[in-house]
Amino acid sequence: FGRELMRGLVLTETVIHVAPEHLVAEAPYQIAIVRLDDGRRLTVRVDGERVAIDSVVEVEQAADGVYHARALR
């Protein structure tokens, strides 16, 4: 991470087992749709531990424009 962190709630999630060609080496990986505290919804890549629906997460936009999230404890 390293930029502004946002907080949000996981609305839905899934694990990608059959990834696009450029991400095959990273599969399986989890993605989620998160509703941020300000009401915006983002599709995010989950880093670290898996998250479940209703999990609270920190979200940050990476330099490549992809949003990443990780569970808050």
Side-chain angles (χ1 to χ4, degrees):
F1 288 12
R3 294 183 177 208
E4 177 188 357
L5 293 177
M6 300 168 277
R7 183 179 144 126
L9 184 71
V10 174
L11 300 177
T12 190
E13 57 79 27
T14 193
V15 176
I16 305 297
H17 293 278
V18 180
E21 188 175 316
H22 67 284
L23 295 173
V24 166
E26 299 181 38
Y29 57 91
Q30 186 180 30
I31 61 171
I33 296 178
V34 173
R35 184 180 64 233
L36 300 177
D37 287 347
D38 66 9
R40 291 181 292 158
R41 293 182 183 194
L42 299 174
T43 300
V44 300
R45 172 86 181 257
V46 178
D47 298 329
E49 295 179 29
R50 286 196 58 194
V51 298
I53 294 171
D54 293 331
S55 294
V56 177
V57 296
E58 285 182 334
V59 177
E60 181 179 46
Q61 186 176 13
D64 62 3
V66 175
Y67 287 92
H68 291 262
R70 63 177 147 204
L72 286 176
R73 291 195 164 88

